[in-house]
Amino acid sequence: MKIAIIGGVAAGTSAAAKARRNNKEAEIVLFERDSDISYAGCGLPYYISEVTEGREKVIINTPEEFAKKYNIDVKTEHEVLEIKSEDKSLKYEDLKSNNVNKYNYDKLIITTGASPIMPPIPGYELDNIVPLRTVNDADKMKNIIDEKNPEKAVIVGAGLIGLEMAESFKEAGLEVAVVEKLPHVLPILSDEMSEIVEDHLREKDVNLVLNDGVSKFAGEGKVEKVVTESGKEVEGDLVLLAIGVKPNVKLAKEAGIELGETGAIAVNEKMETSEKDIYAAGDCAESKDLITGNPAWVPLGSTANKQGRTAGENVTGGKARHKGILKTGITKIFDLAVSRTGLLASEARENGFEDKEVKIKGVDHAGYYPNLSRLHLKGVFDKDTNKIIGAAVIGENGADKRIDVLSTAIYS
Ligand code: FAD
């Protein structure tokens, strides 16, 4: 049995490890075009700020360690150029020697992930404008901070990565501005909950420029300022582009594999694609929203690991199923934990639910005990059934506990 895996981060390594645990004899080859595999994307902001000390702390396994631990042929700096499903083969290039070769597989798992959206905004080629996706991106960012001593960071995009990096840049001693085209930060929350995060960011001296897109980057050789659509000039000698990611589906699409309505690779619960013996998992693949039953694309490491394990199990003859997601997520933004699960009220309405909302402002523990902190909770119910279909919780302490309970309740 020959198993090929394209991509070596969360989904790819989870799939490879699971396949090896199930089948000691199979030949397993993992192709990765980058030089690193098996790292914690989620840890990159903390590596940059040095809250997590050292690059090696975000690398779960080096390619050599992973190869040895699981007896897998790890081919880093090898890019797969083409999938030929008709003769079950891959064309791949060794990026160091430029040699192109062919590999015949019995089962293939595509875990090509996602890439940052890099909009062609005038001036984007200036120095010190960077995305953040890989450890190499984080190295670049860290080098700029360590060697070029920037003073002012501008983050374009107020999603999860943008706001985690606001904290990271502050930790690294930079002034921080966030430019966001939408009226509020964190579109995964309702406006009211986003406003709580906005107040906190302002308390932490983050300059929020909302409801305003970027029209150009200006500077001589390196970026010096960001000019917005309304004409504001935001000074910055380091820019993080964090306006979102898109699934890497080119290889799959060219091989005739069906994409779903979200634009990611369509898969069933076994992680099978439309082509026989080809599976897909992680940020390149769709999932299912467990509440609406609709295809969903929510690129998170937690889902990538689960889908990867499911694919690894099934290519070795197993019967695992990944039923879907509740879009549960939690992030730390300075002193706040910000979490959500299920549907927002607006999403519930779009999906035909008659929703009822409950808002609770409370505290995290009994009042007689010191160090009380505020908790803001918003729950969304289906009026017909009284079932909980969504929730968001924000607070300094205890938000994680509440969102875990609520997501478990919804799932059940
Ligand atoms: P990827 O990590 O994108 O890996 C895909 C790999 O495939 C890449 O290394 C790519 O080089 C390789 N590849 C693509 N095409 C080819 C080809 N043709 N040939 C060879 N190799 C190829 N998730 C959470 O759940 N919680 C968090 O708190 C969180 N925080 C994050 C913070 C940051 C700063 C970032 C960047 C991400 C964060 N994420 C978080 C998201 C998480 O990192 C991703 O969801 C996860 O990495 C997805 O794993 P993946 O294996 O599907 O894809």
Side-chain angles (χ1 to χ4, degrees):
M1 158 91 93
K2 292 165 85 177
I3 301 169
I5 299 170
I6 314 172
V9 189
T13 52
S14 296
K18 188 69 189 171
R20 172 55 76 223
R21 283 192 199 104
N22 286 358
N23 186 330
K24 301 278 179 270
E25 313 301 324
E27 176 177 297
I28 305 177
V29 184
L30 188 147
F31 298 90
E32 170 55 63
R33 64 182 173 199
D34 207 338
S35 49
D36 298 293
I37 63 160
S38 184
Y39 58 81
C42 328
L44 300 178
Y46 307 103
Y47 159 55
I48 292 169
S49 63
E50 295 184 356
V51 166
T52 295
E53 281 176 32
R55 191 183 199 274
E56 64 286 353
K57 289 259 173 65
V58 290
I59 308 270
I60 301 155
N61 289 289
T62 64
E64 297 74 27
E65 284 163 355
F66 193 78
K68 191 161 170 230
K69 197 161 160 188
Y70 296 104
N71 182 24
I72 283 165
D73 182 1
V74 177
K75 293 188 185 301
T76 50
E77 295 178 77
H78 282 69
E79 179 166 15
V80 175
L81 306 174
E82 195 183 353
I83 301 168
K84 286 188 183 168
S85 55
E86 60 285 2
D87 72 343
K88 292 183 127 185
S89 73
L90 301 176
K91 190 163 103 181
Y92 68 93
E93 181 180 349
D94 177 339
L95 299 175
K96 281 182 284 189
S97 66
N98 295 117
N99 285 339
V100 173
N101 274 303
K102 184 177 165 184
Y103 183 78
N104 284 92
Y105 61 82
D106 296 310
K107 304 272 182 187
L108 170 66
I109 308 177
I110 305 173
T111 64
T112 45
S115 295
I117 296 168
M118 298 295 280
I121 297 170
Y124 83 102
E125 69 292 342
L126 288 169
D127 279 353
N128 296 4
I129 301 180
V130 272
L132 177 61
R133 177 75 191 177
T134 63
V135 195
N136 284 327
D137 292 338
D139 290 337
K140 256 183 233 160
M141 180 90 75
K142 211 168 159 352
N143 279 343
I144 296 174
I145 295 174
D146 293 346
E147 276 155 37
K148 301 191 183 171
N149 302 314
E151 290 174 359
K152 295 177 183 177
V154 182
I155 298 165
V156 182
L160 290 169
I161 292 175
L163 296 194
E164 284 180 4
M165 281 307 298
E167 179 184 343
S168 173
F169 285 141
K170 274 277 174 193
E171 283 281 346
L174 279 83
E175 275 182 41
V176 179
V178 178
V179 180
E180 167 60 57
K181 199 173 171 74
L182 296 173
H184 291 288
V185 303
L186 288 183
I188 57 160
L189 297 177
S190 64
D191 293 352
E192 210 180 332
M193 294 299 254
S194 294
E195 281 165 12
I196 297 168
V197 180
E198 288 161 15
D199 289 344
H200 187 64
L201 287 163
R202 291 189 184 105
E203 269 169 31
K204 296 289 174 184
D205 210 17
V206 172
N207 173 17
L208 291 181
V209 181
L210 303 177
N211 222 353
D212 208 353
V214 173
S215 76
K216 69 171 181 183
F217 301 109
E220 295 278 324
K222 72 175 174 67
V223 67
E224 287 161 22
K225 62 186 170 198
V226 174
V227 183
T228 70
E229 285 164 356
S230 75
K232 277 195 197 97
E233 296 192 352
V234 187
E235 282 184 21
D237 43 6
L238 170 60
V239 169
L240 167 69
L241 272 183
I243 62 165
V245 293
K246 56 178 184 335
N248 294 328
V249 294
K250 187 167 171 274
L251 266 185
K253 194 174 169 195
E254 286 172 358
I257 294 169
E258 263 176 39
L259 303 185
E261 63 185 59
T262 67
I265 302 171
V267 285
N268 61 18
E269 289 184 357
K270 295 184 201 159
M271 307 316 299
E272 289 168 332
T273 68
S274 59
E275 285 292 326
K276 192 171 175 323
D277 293 324
I278 303 185
Y279 296 67
D283 283 6
C284 65
E286 282 190 335
S287 192
K288 189 170 82 182
D289 183 317
L290 284 170
I291 298 175
T292 64
N294 295 333
W297 185 66
V298 182
L300 283 176
S302 43
T303 306
N305 283 320
K306 287 179 206 156
Q307 289 189 332
R309 271 203 298 279
T310 306
E313 172 81 25
N314 293 339
V315 292
T316 45
K319 291 192 170 52
R321 285 171 195 267
H322 181 258
K323 290 189 183 148
I325 54 171
L326 287 175
K327 306 194 273 192
T328 309
I330 182 158
T331 187
K332 174 181 177 295
I333 298 169
F334 291 95
D335 304 335
L336 291 181
V338 178
S339 63
R340 74 161 266 181
T341 187
L343 303 180
L344 301 176
S346 55
E347 291 170 331
R349 257 162 262 148
E350 278 162 26
N351 283 285
F353 288 97
E354 220 188 309
D355 69 289
K356 194 172 139 193
E357 263 188 300
V358 162
K359 295 171 206 168
I360 302 170
K361 254 194 214 171
V363 284
D364 67 317
H365 60 253
Y368 58 79
Y369 200 77
N371 302 328
L372 273 191
S373 66
R374 279 224 161 279
L375 268 178
H376 301 264
L377 188 151
K378 204 166 180 183
V380 185
F381 297 81
D382 174 10
K383 246 184 175 175
D384 279 346
T385 60
N386 263 333
K387 281 187 177 168
I388 311 168
I389 51 174
V393 190
I394 300 180
E396 284 182 25
N397 292 305
D400 51 348
K401 177 170 150 182
R402 270 76 180 181
I403 212 72
D404 280 354
V405 171
L406 289 164
S407 60
T408 307
I410 298 174
Y411 187 84
S412 300

